[in-house]
Amino acid sequence: MTVEGPVVVLRLGHRPARDKRVTTHVCLTARAFGAAKAIVSTRDAGVERSVRGVVARFGGDFAVETGVPWRRVLSAWPGAVVHLTMYGEPIDAVLPRISRGPVLVVVGAEKVPGEVFGRADFNVAVGNQPHSEVAALAVFLDRFLGGEGLRRSFHGPMEIVPSPRGKVVKKSL
Amino acid sequence: MTVEGPVVVLRLGHRPARDKRVTTHVCLTARAFGAAKAIVSTRDAGVERSVRGVVARFGGDFAVETGVPWRRVLSAWPGAVVHLTMYGEPIDAVLPRISRGPVLVVVGAEKVPGEVFGRADFNVAVGNQPHSEVAALAVFLDRFLGGEGLRRSFHGPMEIVPSPRGKVVKKSL
């Protein structure tokens, strides 16, 4: 279930006043489930700070960038573009057709421009029901990478030691 | 991958001013991925309205209840209690040990009382990294139900017709 190129997540339509927490969840989910980078089309220093804070404490080399126009990201992308939308084709059917090279995973906020549906190589529905772009992204990455994303080590200055009962954290700050 | 009892999601520590959107995502994710009900420990009429609106339009018999003290929910629960936390044991290791009867899946907001770690039959980490309770819930349900949750039909007055390119909605309102 390896991929040959990076998996990058593009978050569209972020409105800083309203979406700060959900977009932060999108970025942290991208990191935890195996993506190399998240790009947010609207500038938001608060989201960057939160995500970089987690990377500084918990490790890995995940990158986050905000304020990058989405058309530019799409037109520069060298691999497959996968747009997660409840209107798309069922993930069960589409997953085997997605190439294992670089993949750009696009997740929107409320309204996604029609242009994105046209530009995507795959419009993928993680269920054809309204729920959450965070949930859709997590399940897509979990299935696309065969659970590999979750099994990596991040080797950060803070490391959680799995425990059946309590909170065990190893700190080397 | 069938379960013999219902899967219910309990959302702890919801703060209406701050968590409305994330808690709504938790409830809608519960519905889309196969749970029968979501219980939110703090009262929030806005969350109830949003979730019931989706059920009315998109179908199914998913229930939502807010303002139910979490200790009461835990002590009345007849089956396994699974608490999703980044401090827990890896999902890969725990999943096979969870019984297929009724399951209560507990997801917290910021701080979860230590009592919950003690009361849970399983403290399960969907990755030992900070990310999102929405992501954790989605991936837990997806794996626990073997993808079955996503394959159900909801038969609502609005139905999305999967499409490779556009938005196709069948309305029988």
Side-chain angles (χ1 to χ4, degrees), chain A residues 1-5 7 98-101 144-146 148:
Chain A
M1 286 299 216
T2 46
V3 283
E4 322 233 311
V7 176
I98 302 174
S99 66
R100 313 298 301 174
F144 184 62
L145 301 174
E148 213 39 75

Side-chain angles (χ1 to χ4, degrees), chain B residues 78-146:
Chain B
V81 174
V82 173
H83 172 218
L84 302 183
T85 164
M86 68 171 174
Y87 298 102
E89 297 184 278
I91 183 170
D92 284 339
V94 183
L95 210 53
R97 282 155 41 202
I98 302 173
S99 67
R100 314 298 301 173
V103 172
L104 183 71
V105 185
V106 184
V107 288
E110 304 284 87
K111 282 268 178 192
V112 173
E115 196 181 332
V116 175
F117 287 81
R119 173 61 186 81
D121 298 300
F122 303 97
N123 288 288
V124 178
V126 182
N128 290 110
Q129 295 290 320
H131 53 87
S132 168
E133 58 269 39
V134 181
L137 177 63
V139 168
F140 175 81
L141 292 177
D142 190 50
R143 291 198 188 184
F144 184 63
L145 301 175

Side-chain angles (χ1 to χ4, degrees), chain B residues 57-75:
Chain B
R57 292 194 303 283
F58 288 91
D61 51 6
F62 185 77
V64 61
E65 209 179 338
T66 74
V68 189
W70 58 265
R71 278 192 190 85
R72 191 194 303 165
V73 180
L74 285 176
S75 61

Side-chain angles (χ1 to χ4, degrees), chain A residues 72-145:
Chain A
R72 192 196 300 164
V73 180
L74 285 176
S75 61
W77 186 253
V81 174
V82 173
H83 172 218
L84 302 182
T85 164
M86 67 172 175
Y87 298 102
E89 297 183 277
I91 182 170
D92 285 338
V94 183
L95 209 54
R97 281 154 42 202
I98 302 174
S99 66
R100 313 298 301 174
V103 172
L104 184 71
V105 185
V106 184
V107 286
E110 303 284 87
K111 280 269 177 193
V112 173
E115 196 181 333
V116 174
F117 287 79
R119 172 63 185 80
D121 298 301
F122 304 97
N123 288 289
V124 178
V126 181
N128 290 110
Q129 294 291 322
H131 54 86
S132 168
E133 58 269 39
V134 180
L137 177 62
V139 169
F140 175 80
L141 291 178
D142 189 51
R143 292 198 188 183
F144 184 62
L145 301 174

